[in-house]
Amino acid sequence: MSLLPRTAEEFSSAEYWEKFFKKRGEKAFEWYGDYNKLCGVLHKYIKVRDKVLVVGCGNSELSEQLYDVGYEHLTNIDISETAVNHMNQRNAERRPGLTFHQVDATQTPYEDGSYQTALDKGTLDAMASEEEGALAKKMLSEVGRVLSVGGRYVCVTLAQESVIKLAVEHFVELGWAVRLHCLQEESRADKDSFALPVFVLVCTKFRQPMPMPILEMCLGEDGAPVRHAKVFELLSAVREHQAYSVLRKRLRTSTDANSNLSLTLCHAKTGLPRYTLTVQDSPPGTKVPRPNQFAIFIVPQGSETAWLYSSNEGRRQLAASANFHRLVIVSMHRNQEYTDMQAVQSELSPVVMDLAPPGMPANHQVPFLSVGGDLGWREEVSRGVSQLSGEYCVENVKGEDGELYRRLVFLSNAALVQSESRLVSSNTMSSQKKKNKKKAKATAAQVTTSTSLSVDSGFLCCAHHEVMVAGLAMLGLGTEQNKDVPVSLLLVGLGGGGLPQFLRNFVPSAAVEVVELDPVVLEVAKQWFGFQPDDRLTVTIGDGLERICALEKEGGQLFDAIMFDVDNKDSTLGMSCPPAAFVETPILKKVRNLLTPKGLFMLNLACRDPALRKSVLMRVRAVFPAILSRKIEEEINEVLLCSCGEKETSDAACILPTLNQAAKNLQSTLHSNRTESHRKPHIDIAELLKDLKVV
């Protein structure tokens, strides 16, 4: 298997597993598997001629089954007199050479180096809970003493983290080699079956301690070992396999249209994420054709951040459209190569059946769905590191419309596109491409270098940027009395520079100042997104709040519009844009003081918390007498257009009726100010303003 699972966040806490293991109860010993499940890995490490010390044998049938297939040098010990007597009586006639002894595993009477193997089925798990692990450590030390050089401690365990950590660290400190086999349970749909895999821990004794730890994980009895450098990495791999088993069990026994369970499949050799799978079930009562049990949808490369694939609501809409009981939505990762759709299907096929819905026949053919039948296209053109925002990449992608786009993505939040611009061929007019979409689709996948592409400065990819431009209609731009009147704009937040470049290129007499905190973002915007500062488009590197405060303190400079387009790095808040400090009352008052009498404050607000949004609106309303809001379709974003004019009121009758003609004026003005013959603004002002609501 070339793919390994990486878990969802809910399985990563210690509290989850502590609670899970406390439910073991009296059925614990059934969970370790019988001889048929264990024999493959046991025979691999225990030779028939080996002298084997079976530690804590209890009343398990394992020793009897090993004896029956030829293992005759077994010494079975247990501290329970009752268990030892019972096992001796049970085997006296059928297995006269198989004997059981009442011995404390922490202090045995056997000589040093007298056994080639110590076999433990569940004893370590039981002893590790006693005396804060001290008893288990004594047992492991005794095992190390009685094993010969080259001998192995073979332990069948459920690998609760505290238990496996104790054992692995013990043997690593002694310089032994440590290997874990994960024996995944067969997929079973009955709710009473146990979810966790059984692990077999194999620790090998060397004459001289190993200078560097040997830590390996194998999937199944014959899986190729994956080497880990640190103990915590091995423990993490154990958790991943356990969580995957729990997830698989949940999916095989129940459905939940609201759960949105997901997991990441990693490349087995490199450990790098390769696929993310999100499970979307249809709601109860949905009428689905009988053959439509289960399907896999492959998201085109570069489209994984689209609303349809990245949001819960979008995925539900996609599943409803596909009309299957269960749809698994697969996204591909950056820095991974994918040959074609057939190769992706072949790679995923062994894994996806684990995610099938309850009751689906084992021989059911699972269809793979996609958009247009291909994998999409992605080309990384640059990668770097910002001290403020971490690692980033700039990539070209082919959109589902056949057009090419360039994106800036910070890898700390790879699901979010920080900035996006549409690309055109340097020697092809964008208008020609728009007239011939089929030709664009045919040629887009063939473009593999960024040198032949340039940014279309007249196309705004972000809908909230379009609304901000459209909001300038409230300034009366394009009217006869405002002709050739300078327009002063302050924008906090640069991104790729698409919005300020559009304002500079298409708004007559506009003077734009941009405040950007991260100097790396400025360099990326200039190098990859066609951002070209000049005397009418300036950039101030620094904190936006500090710049606002400084401008107010200096006095003498007012702006016709101030725009906040700043993302919030603090993911714990329910507001991803802007940071909370930007909408505190003192800052809002400073913004108003920096505006001309008819000036506008525009705020890109993205707030998932209804109570927090209400609080923000109350503060903004207390400073600005009139607020219009425009929701962004299929996003949580909304743009607030806030007027500080004395005569304006919050009555829609006073504002909205005037915008229709104002929109026409601005539209005409933008088109009349084209700086390049083959560039034009792709924007419909009237359409953007028609859904404004009074707040």
Side-chain angles (χ1 to χ4, degrees):
M1 176 175 164
S2 61
L3 297 172
L4 297 175
R6 180 172 294 174
T7 65
E9 289 183 3
E10 66 176 297
F11 299 119
S12 62
S13 69
E15 291 79 10
Y16 178 93
W17 292 112
E18 285 297 322
K19 183 178 178 181
F20 188 97
F21 277 99
K22 284 180 180 178
K23 295 180 179 180
R24 289 190 299 175
E26 295 180 357
K27 292 186 177 182
F29 292 105
E30 299 176 15
W31 298 356
Y32 291 88
D34 58 14
Y35 172 77
N36 291 329
K37 179 176 181 177
L38 300 172
C39 63
V41 69
L42 294 183
H43 293 326
K44 184 173 184 175
Y45 294 105
I46 307 174
K47 298 180 176 63
V48 173
R49 64 178 181 273
D50 283 354
K51 287 185 63 179
V52 182
L53 178 65
V54 183
V55 181
C57 59
N59 59 3
S60 170
E61 298 177 352
L62 182 59
S63 291
E64 297 167 329
Q65 293 162 328
L66 286 171
Y67 185 88
D68 290 344
V69 296
Y71 290 85
E72 297 183 353
H73 308 292
L74 302 174
T75 302
N76 301 281
I77 65 172
D78 198 280
I79 200 169
S80 169
E81 182 181 4
T82 301
V84 168
N85 289 338
H86 172 74
M87 294 302 288
N88 277 323
Q89 292 172 11
R90 194 166 84 182
N91 290 282
E93 293 185 9
R94 291 186 57 193
R95 305 177 182 89
L98 185 63
T99 57
F100 298 80
H101 310 275
Q102 184 184 1
V103 173
D104 183 349
T106 66
Q107 42 186 350
T108 71
Y110 310 115
E111 296 180 2
D112 294 358
S114 54
Y115 288 90
Q116 284 79 53
T117 303
L119 178 59
D120 172 350
K121 183 183 177 185
T123 302
L124 174 67
D125 290 5
M127 295 182 75
S129 62
E130 302 290 334
E131 301 177 12
E132 297 182 344
L135 202 61
K137 290 179 182 178
K138 291 180 183 178
M139 185 267 287
L140 295 176
S141 296
E142 188 67 1
V143 163
R145 183 185 68 80
V146 302
L147 282 176
S148 60
V149 173
R152 294 187 174 105
Y153 171 59
V154 180
C155 175
V156 182
T157 173
L158 295 180
Q160 186 173 2
E161 181 157 356
S162 59
V163 176
I164 202 69
K165 183 174 185 289
L166 182 150
V168 171
E169 288 182 342
H170 175 85
F171 288 113
V172 166
E173 189 174 337
L174 295 176
W176 293 29
V178 175
R179 177 178 288 179
L180 270 168
H181 284 264
C182 175
L183 306 182
Q184 287 282 4
E185 185 70 53
E186 291 297 319
S187 296
R188 295 169 60 186
D190 55 300
K191 294 185 178 181
D192 293 329
S193 63
F194 184 57
L196 283 189
V198 170
F199 289 83
V200 179
L201 173 66
V202 182
C203 302
T204 305
K205 183 177 182 178
F206 290 99
R207 187 177 304 277
Q208 296 294 330
M210 300 300 294
M212 297 291 291
I214 297 178
L215 302 165
E216 296 177 333
M217 170 69 79
C218 303
L219 188 60
E221 59 188 54
D222 295 318
V226 176
R227 185 69 61 92
H228 297 277
K230 303 287 185 182
V231 171
F232 79 87
E233 293 178 4
L234 183 65
L235 299 180
S236 178
V238 170
R239 286 196 302 271
E240 303 294 357
H241 288 295
Q242 290 171 330
Y244 179 59
S245 292
V246 174
L247 177 64
R248 184 175 63 168
K249 169 70 181 300
R250 185 187 300 182
L251 291 171
R252 293 293 283 172
T253 56
S254 64
T255 60
D256 184 353
N258 297 314
S259 66
N260 292 296
L261 289 173
S262 67
L263 73 154
T264 298
L265 298 179
C266 300
H267 195 285
K269 291 184 179 180
T270 66
L272 294 175
R274 185 158 173 81
Y275 299 99
T276 293
L277 281 60
T278 304
V279 178
Q280 183 63 58
D281 288 330
S282 59
T286 303
K287 293 183 179 180
V288 177
R290 182 171 295 180
N292 288 15
Q293 292 285 323
F294 184 41
I296 313 299
F297 184 92
I298 307 296
V299 177
Q301 292 184 86
S303 298
E304 59 278 345
T305 58
W307 174 84
L308 190 64
Y309 310 125
S310 64
S311 68
N312 294 341
E313 185 180 349
R315 287 189 291 262
R316 283 194 289 269
Q317 181 175 308
L318 177 65
S321 176
N323 201 21
F324 281 82
H325 279 299
R326 173 169 290 168
L327 186 69
V328 173
I329 302 163
V330 179
S331 296
M332 293 170 279
H333 281 253
R334 296 176 178 85
N335 285 339
Q336 295 286 311
E337 293 185 2
Y338 306 91
T339 308
D340 53 32
M341 184 64 74
Q342 185 60 47
V344 169
Q345 292 183 21
S346 299
E347 193 174 13
L348 290 173
S349 291
V351 182
V352 294
M353 286 306 296
D354 283 345
L355 310 180
M360 196 187 82
N363 59 351
H364 182 79
Q365 286 292 107
V366 181
F368 280 75
L369 313 177
S370 64
V371 177
D374 64 26
L375 297 178
W377 178 80
R378 188 203 313 267
E379 173 199 31
E380 184 176 302
V381 296
S382 179
R383 184 176 285 251
V385 178
S386 160
Q387 291 185 351
L388 296 177
S389 303
E391 190 175 8
Y392 69 86
C393 76
V394 179
E395 60 186 16
N396 297 338
V397 301
K398 183 177 74 168
E400 292 182 11
D401 58 359
E403 300 283 359
L404 296 179
Y405 296 89
R406 179 164 293 162
R407 293 174 174 171
L408 170 63
V409 178
F410 287 107
L411 300 184
S412 59
N413 189 2
L416 176 68
V417 175
Q418 188 75 18
S419 297
E420 184 174 29
S421 295
R422 191 170 72 175
L423 299 175
V424 292
S425 174
S426 298
N427 33 4
T428 303
M429 292 193 300
S430 58
S431 58
Q432 290 178 332
K433 291 190 73 176
K434 193 172 183 181
K435 291 178 182 178
N436 193 347
K437 291 185 178 179
K438 291 184 179 180
K439 183 178 179 181
K441 290 183 179 180
T443 58
Q446 299 171 9
V447 179
T448 56
T449 61
S450 57
T451 55
S452 61
L453 301 170
S454 61
V455 169
D456 183 354
S457 62
F459 188 89
L460 294 170
C461 291
C462 298
H464 70 275
H465 285 171
E466 292 186 301
V467 175
M468 286 179 158
V469 172
L472 295 177
M474 295 173 64
L475 296 176
L477 298 183
T479 59
E480 191 63 33
Q481 59 267 36
N482 288 330
K483 188 176 182 181
D484 298 326
V485 175
V487 180
S488 180
L489 307 173
L490 177 65
L491 173 59
V492 180
L494 173 65
L499 175 58
Q501 192 68 56
F502 184 99
L503 295 170
R504 187 262 175 251
N505 287 357
F506 298 105
V507 177
S509 305
V512 185
E513 178 185 348
V514 186
V515 184
E516 172 56 46
L517 182 63
D518 194 341
V520 171
V521 170
L522 173 59
E523 293 308 310
V524 169
K526 290 194 293 186
Q527 183 175 1
W528 296 107
F529 289 87
F531 184 65
Q532 299 174 329
D534 58 18
D535 58 341
R536 288 180 49 211
L537 177 55
T538 61
V539 179
T540 300
I541 295 296
D543 183 272
L545 296 178
E546 292 179 2
R547 181 60 176 160
I548 293 289
C549 294
L551 285 168
E552 191 212 26
K553 185 176 181 180
E554 293 168 6
Q557 184 175 4
L558 298 179
F559 297 91
D560 296 294
I562 296 177
M563 306 175 179
F564 281 3
D565 185 25
V566 194
D567 65 326
N568 187 6
K569 304 297 184 187
D570 186 356
S571 59
T572 62
L573 296 176
M575 184 165 64
S576 55
C577 188
F582 279 77
V583 284
E584 295 294 339
T585 299
I587 292 299
L588 294 174
K589 287 182 177 179
K590 291 180 186 297
V591 169
R592 176 166 180 170
N593 292 339
L594 287 171
L595 289 170
T596 59
K598 294 185 178 181
L600 287 173
F601 169 51
M602 303 187 190
L603 174 65
N604 175 26
L605 177 64
C607 189
R608 292 180 172 83
D609 185 336
L612 182 57
R613 176 181 179 272
K614 183 178 180 181
S615 173
V616 170
L617 291 178
M618 286 180 61
R619 275 175 271 150
V620 175
R621 194 182 295 114
V623 177
F624 295 94
I627 305 174
L628 298 176
S629 172
R630 171 62 154 79
K631 287 280 189 179
I632 304 302
E633 188 177 356
E634 298 182 350
E635 302 285 350
I636 63 166
N637 297 60
E638 61 182 311
V639 176
L640 302 183
L641 305 176
C642 312
S643 173
C644 62
E646 295 294 335
K647 296 181 180 180
E648 279 79 1
T649 72
S650 58
D651 185 359
C654 298
I655 302 175
L656 295 179
T658 66
L659 291 181
N660 188 42
Q661 184 58 48
K664 293 179 181 178
N665 293 338
L666 179 58
Q667 186 81 34
S668 176
T669 298
L670 296 178
H671 279 267
S672 66
N673 200 54
R674 291 167 58 179
T675 57
E676 300 174 67
S677 59
H678 64 282
R679 295 284 191 267
K680 65 178 182 179
H682 303 276
I683 191 169
D684 188 335
I685 303 297
E687 181 69 20
L688 290 164
L689 294 181
K690 74 175 186 179
D691 291 327
L692 285 174
K693 306 290 184 185
V694 175
V695 177

